[in-house]
Amino acid sequence: MGGDDETAGDREPIILCEVPHRGDVTDMQFMTSDAIAASSSFGSLTIYRHRNLQSLEDAMQWVGLHTGLGDVSCPCTCLATQGDDLIVTGGEDGRVNVLNVAHRAPVRTLEKANSCSINGIKFLKQLDILTIDSCGQLKIFDLRENTDEPSRTFSVSGEQVPLQCLARHPTQQHIVATGGHDGVLSIWDLRQERFPVTLLEAHAAPMWEVLFHPASPDHLFTCSEDGSVWHWDSSAVTSLVTGTGAGSGGGSLFSQHPGAGTRASHNQPLAWAGDRQIQDGDQHPSAQPVAANQHTRHTGGDARVWVGRGSFVHG
């Protein structure tokens, strides 16, 4: 961070070390305190290691993980890590690769995991993974099964709006949040039926990232192509909380019951993280974000959001 002579509001991150990367960085995640996995628009994945934050170097690379017609490389769009040795990747070719740092080749490939682009991937358990795609579906794959078919599929009834981002609740593995190309934030309970339990009109443009606060999961952060970052607080949903900032879709709340096919009224129950609900008949105003910033950073307590190009880091 900047020097002590600057105020907290003026401090900006400074580069400690950098390394050339072939293609666009499409996703990245820490595996250990000194190892970072990064995926590329050229269909590869690289593990970088830093030495006391002074330098970055290539530690391992897998090339040609994702290819299109004629074996031409296509983007590796997303990755997820489990422990310090297991990685899964998804790509525009609809393929899922399972990698282990002890092997130079993928230990398993789901060739027909999806018929369209996979836009996000997460581990649910040690050998269960969750993907989102451009057809608006969530799919769960059990890597113990000898099949490319998902064990479960979820979708918004009657809609095929691409899902762009995915987050898992830090303490309740069955709760996940997704952001759509239409700017809608969806909350899913994977124990329930195949439809989302809560839908929130979050942004007026595609949503590029969603993140639960790791220590206070009632708080959720979203960012969008409209240039805004929204901070959502489900614990304050019964009070009138207004958001500020440009580019918002209004932050209004609506719920949908499984199989309903249409969006229900504001008086339907709200399900957020599975441990707090508003009962039928309760009168509550439209839920809106507690704060919003456009091309800025949001700070509050120990939460800090740094806004980048279409993504953010929360710490």
Side-chain angles (χ1 to χ4, degrees), residues 202-203 222-230 245-248 292-295 307:
H203 295 273
T222 61
C223 75
S224 167
E225 191 172 297
D226 60 21
S228 64
V229 171
W230 286 99
S248 169
N293 290 274
Q294 189 171 19
H295 300 304
V307 182

Side-chain angles (χ1 to χ4, degrees), residues 26-29 37 39 45 65-66 75-82 86-99 108-110 113-114 117-134 137-143 163-168 176-179 190 208-210:
T26 56
D27 200 0
M28 62 193 310
Q29 186 173 332
S39 55
L45 184 136
L65 293 176
H66 298 276
C76 175
T77 56
C78 53
L79 68 93
T81 64
Q82 180 84 303
L86 194 61
I87 309 170
V88 289
T89 69
E92 285 190 1
D93 55 357
R95 181 183 300 169
V96 170
N97 290 291
V98 183
L99 311 174
R108 184 177 178 186
T109 298
L110 306 183
N114 213 307
S117 175
I118 297 173
N119 298 329
I121 191 167
K122 296 288 183 185
F123 277 98
L124 292 176
K125 299 178 181 178
Q126 179 69 27
L127 294 174
D128 288 336
I129 59 173
L130 176 68
T131 66
I132 56 172
D133 60 43
S134 291
Q137 295 181 323
L138 284 81
K139 294 183 178 181
I140 297 177
F141 294 89
D142 186 345
L143 298 180
L163 296 176
Q164 304 285 17
C165 51
L166 171 67
R168 192 186 69 177
V176 297
T178 61
L190 301 182
W208 292 121
E209 194 65 272
V210 58

Side-chain angles (χ1 to χ4, degrees), residues 70-271:
D71 289 332
V72 176
S73 63
C74 68
C76 175
T77 56
C78 53
L79 68 93
T81 64
Q82 180 84 303
D84 59 1
D85 59 352
L86 194 61
I87 309 170
V88 289
T89 69
E92 285 190 1
D93 55 357
R95 181 183 300 169
V96 170
N97 290 291
V98 183
L99 311 174
N100 190 298
V101 296
H103 301 274
R104 301 295 302 181
V107 295
R108 184 177 178 186
T109 298
L110 306 183
E111 295 282 355
K112 300 178 180 179
N114 213 307
S115 60
C116 59
S117 175
I118 297 173
N119 298 329
I121 191 167
K122 296 288 183 185
F123 277 98
L124 292 176
K125 299 178 181 178
Q126 179 69 27
L127 294 174
D128 288 336
I129 59 173
L130 176 68
T131 66
I132 56 172
D133 60 43
S134 291
C135 293
Q137 295 181 323
L138 284 81
K139 294 183 178 181
I140 297 177
F141 294 89
D142 186 345
L143 298 180
R144 293 165 295 191
E145 299 293 333
N146 187 27
T147 177
D148 288 359
E149 297 296 321
S151 57
R152 295 187 69 185
T153 301
F154 303 79
S155 64
V156 178
S157 179
E159 300 183 22
Q160 289 190 341
V161 177
L163 296 176
Q164 304 285 17
C165 51
L166 171 67
R168 192 186 69 177
H169 193 281
T171 60
Q172 301 182 60
Q173 293 182 342
H174 58 279
I175 298 296
V176 297
T178 61
H181 192 77
D182 55 359
V184 170
L185 169 65
S186 303
I187 307 296
W188 308 73
D189 186 341
L190 301 182
R191 303 171 303 178
Q192 305 300 323
E193 299 295 331
R194 55 190 297 267
F195 305 102
V197 294
T198 301
L199 298 171
L200 297 160
E201 286 183 328
H203 295 273
M207 190 185 304
W208 292 121
E209 194 65 272
V210 58
L211 187 69
F212 285 100
H213 190 288
S216 302
D218 281 342
H219 296 266
L220 188 73
F221 298 86
T222 61
C223 75
S224 167
E225 191 172 297
D226 60 21
S228 64
V229 171
W230 286 99
H231 169 199
W232 301 83
D233 182 6
S234 70
S235 64
V237 74
T238 56
S239 63
L240 181 59
V241 183
T242 58
T244 59
S248 169
S252 61
L253 167 83
F254 52 94
S255 298
Q256 176 177 329
H257 294 295
T262 58
R263 291 168 179 172
S265 70
H266 287 187
N267 288 333
Q268 296 293 347
L270 166 72

